[in-house]
């Protein structure tokens, strides 16, 4: 079942001081004082931060949707207007949160009619993914809207509400750097269109504004020439590498990753610790590895064994993109016995809120977290890597609610020309965690020896915490222990120490 919901309160009285205030996508303050005619339908507000505020009687009432789970699984983050007001009569009105009726594509771009048409088609194709939302039969669907009552005015109330999402920014945590992955910006096509390597992309500003330190890109998907055996692709890879080098900074790194759908099955993310020239096909007369006079050592891939060997030689990593759905519907299940899955090169799978199911208490509870449990019961340590799988971005988008990030344990972001092997090694060791931004680990680990162990985790949060959870597997079944947390205050922290019996347990998280 696919559905949308609108949730609000009606019956507010229009007084002389009643007004709705909000910031528009450009962050300018706007207001409406109910001086217009009665509304037949709800008026959607494209409000910044998905937040609007009623001011009346000297106080204010903010209204907004949940910061993540409310949203459809989309491939772009255009602001569709997620809050509304409705003047129901000359003396009353209603306010609340809304899900939109339809998608709106991002702005296409190009330097010729042909390229513009291609980008317009790309921008429009994402609208087909608007309904990645599911209500399984027989489930209770949780459809909330949030209200925040305050004695202050709209501006002070806005600051209080935004504290719950750290002002829609991923808070810097000591000893960690924030990493995101899997974005189809068509960066090298942008650079080629502009005719200069010095084009400043709008999406760089979006990432920097969110507090992101590391972005693993995914060009060569629906763009450029991923299947070219070398001459065209290597030339494009050079532009890709140079663009990522140019816009990396002291505390910001662009990694030129890819999302192949080639020899390993399904779609997957492939990332090297430094620029590597390689083709996804091998033309007649080419060898697996060659020395190119212009590009140096290059690879031509013809099989899964070739691709695995290249990743081993270059000390790269890969993981399954959007597992068990979309282009990876049967993966990684179909390859769980294959050499590449069983190797340490195969890090795990993507973590995305897809499809959204409001009966689940956790983001992507069944498809993602269930898969992580199964993978670790199947073989050695595998992880979920938070990913976006989205396209072009602009500063007026609402990106924060539709993005999950990785907090990678490291003190410094490596410079582009130093290579980024420290990031890959840290992730391979499992020294990272995934967060939507509101619940953060300061540190965690297991203490004790023998069967008597304790899982320790120092956690901080903004919204009131519902529960903590210890999960473990024995190589066959998965078990869980819920630790209620509804007695803990919002905007707080706690060190959880959960004792457990390690006997018979293969893994614990």
């Amino acid at each position: 079942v696919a559905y949308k919901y609108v949730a609000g309160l009606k019956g507010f009285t229009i007084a002389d001081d009643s007004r709705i205030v909000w910031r528009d996508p450009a962050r300018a303050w706007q207001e409406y004082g109910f001086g217009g005619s009665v509304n037949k339908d709800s008026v959607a507000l494209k409000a910044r931060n998905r937040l609007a505020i009623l001011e009346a009687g000297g106080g204010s009432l903010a209204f907004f949707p949940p910061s993540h789970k409310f949203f459809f699984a989309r491939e772009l983050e255009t602001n569709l207007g997620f809050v509304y007001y409705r003047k129901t009569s000359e003396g009353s009105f209603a306010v609340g949160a809304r899900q939109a009726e339809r998608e709106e594509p991002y702005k296409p771009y190009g330097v010729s009619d042909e390229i513009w048409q291609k980008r317009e088609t790309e921008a429009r194709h994402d609208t087909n993914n608007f309904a990645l939302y599911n209500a399984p039969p027989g489930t209770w669907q949780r459809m909330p809207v949030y209200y925040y009552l305050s004695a202050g005015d709209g501006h002070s109330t806005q600051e209080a509400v935004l504290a719950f999402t750290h002002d829609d920014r991923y808070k810097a945590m000591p000893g960690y750097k924030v990493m995101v992955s899997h974005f189809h910006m068509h960066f090298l096509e942008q650079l080629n269109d502009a005719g200069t390597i010095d084009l400043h992309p709008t999406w760089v500003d979006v990432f920097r504004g969110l507090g992101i330190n590391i972005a693993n890109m995914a060009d060569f998907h629906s763009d450029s020439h991923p299947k070219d055996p070398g001459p065209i692709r290597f030339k494009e890879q050079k532009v890709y590498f140079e663009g990522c080098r140019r816009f990396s900074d002291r505390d910001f790194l662009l990694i030129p990753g890819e999302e192949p759908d080639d020899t390993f099955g399904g779609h997957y993310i492939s990332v090297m610790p430094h620029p590597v020239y390689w083709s996804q096909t091998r033309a007649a007369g080419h060898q697996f590895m060659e020395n190119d006079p212009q590009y140096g050592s290059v690879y031509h891939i013809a099989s899964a064994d070739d691709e695995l060997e290249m990743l081993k030689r270059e000390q790269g990593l890969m993981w399954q993109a959007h597992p068990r759905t979309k282009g990876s519907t049967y993966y990684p299940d179909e390859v769980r016995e294959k050499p590449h899955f069983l190797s340490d090169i195969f890090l795990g799978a993507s973590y995305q809120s897809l499809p959204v199911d409001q009966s689940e208490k956790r983001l992507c509870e069944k498809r993602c977290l269930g898969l992580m449990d199964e993978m670790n019961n199947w073989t050695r340590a595998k992880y979920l890597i938070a990913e976006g799988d989205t396209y072009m971005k602009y500063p007026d988008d609402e990106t924060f609610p539709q993005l999950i990030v990785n907090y990678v344990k490291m003190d410094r972001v490596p410079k582009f020309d130093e290579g980024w092997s420290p990031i890959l090694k840290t992730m391979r060791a499992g020294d990272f965690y995934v967060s939507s931004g509101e619940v953060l680990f300061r540190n965690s680990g297991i203490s004790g020896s023998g069967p008597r162990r304790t899982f320790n985790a120092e956690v901080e949060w903004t919204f009131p915490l519902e529960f903590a959870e210890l999960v473990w597997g024995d190589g066959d079944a998965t078990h869980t222990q819920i630790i209620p947390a509804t007695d803990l205050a919002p905007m707080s922290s706690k060190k959880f120490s959960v004792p457990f019996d390690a006997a018979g347990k293969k893994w614990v998280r």
Side-chain angles (χ1 to χ4, degrees), residues 107-144:
K107 298 179 280 290
Y109 56 94
V111 295
S112 68
D113 289 344
E114 179 184 3
I115 294 175
W116 190 279
Q117 186 67 39
K118 176 185 175 183
R119 301 281 162 68
E120 185 179 39
T121 302
E122 184 74 55
R124 290 176 60 83
H125 104 272
D126 300 313
T127 63
N128 296 325
N129 282 349
F130 189 56
L132 292 174
Y133 206 90
N134 187 40
T139 58
W140 282 99
Q141 296 288 306
R142 311 203 308 184
M143 306 182 190

Side-chain angles (χ1 to χ4, degrees), residues 125-187:
H125 104 272
D126 300 313
T127 63
N128 296 325
N129 282 349
F130 189 56
L132 292 174
Y133 206 90
N134 187 40
T139 58
W140 282 99
Q141 296 288 306
R142 311 203 308 184
M143 306 182 190
V145 57
Y146 290 173
Y147 291 92
Y148 186 93
L149 185 63
S150 171
D153 63 9
H155 288 224
S156 63
T157 299
Q158 181 238 25
E159 291 179 2
V161 171
L162 288 184
F164 286 99
T165 61
H166 301 296
D167 198 17
D168 280 8
R169 184 178 173 89
Y170 297 98
K171 179 182 175 180
M173 297 295 289
Y176 290 90
K177 295 298 179 180
V178 180
M179 175 182 174
V180 292
S181 178
H182 195 159
F183 300 100
H184 304 300
M185 308 301 193
H186 301 180
F187 185 26

Side-chain angles (χ1 to χ4, degrees), residues 263-266 303-305 308 312 318 320 330-346 378-380 382:
T263 69
F264 287 153
S303 67
D305 289 341
L308 179 59
K312 286 181 176 178
M318 55 82 59
Q320 200 80 58
Y330 304 106
Y331 298 91
D333 305 69
E334 288 286 331
V335 297
R336 57 177 286 191
E337 303 294 338
K338 299 291 186 181
H340 71 274
F341 178 84
L342 297 173
S343 76
D344 285 340
I345 297 298
F346 197 111
W378 292 342
T379 184
R380 293 177 291 179
K382 304 293 181 185

Side-chain angles (χ1 to χ4, degrees), residues 75-86:
E75 290 196 339
L76 59 166
E77 298 103 3
T78 48
N79 190 332
L80 301 177
F82 304 113
V83 288
Y84 73 89
Y85 71 84
R86 185 174 73 256

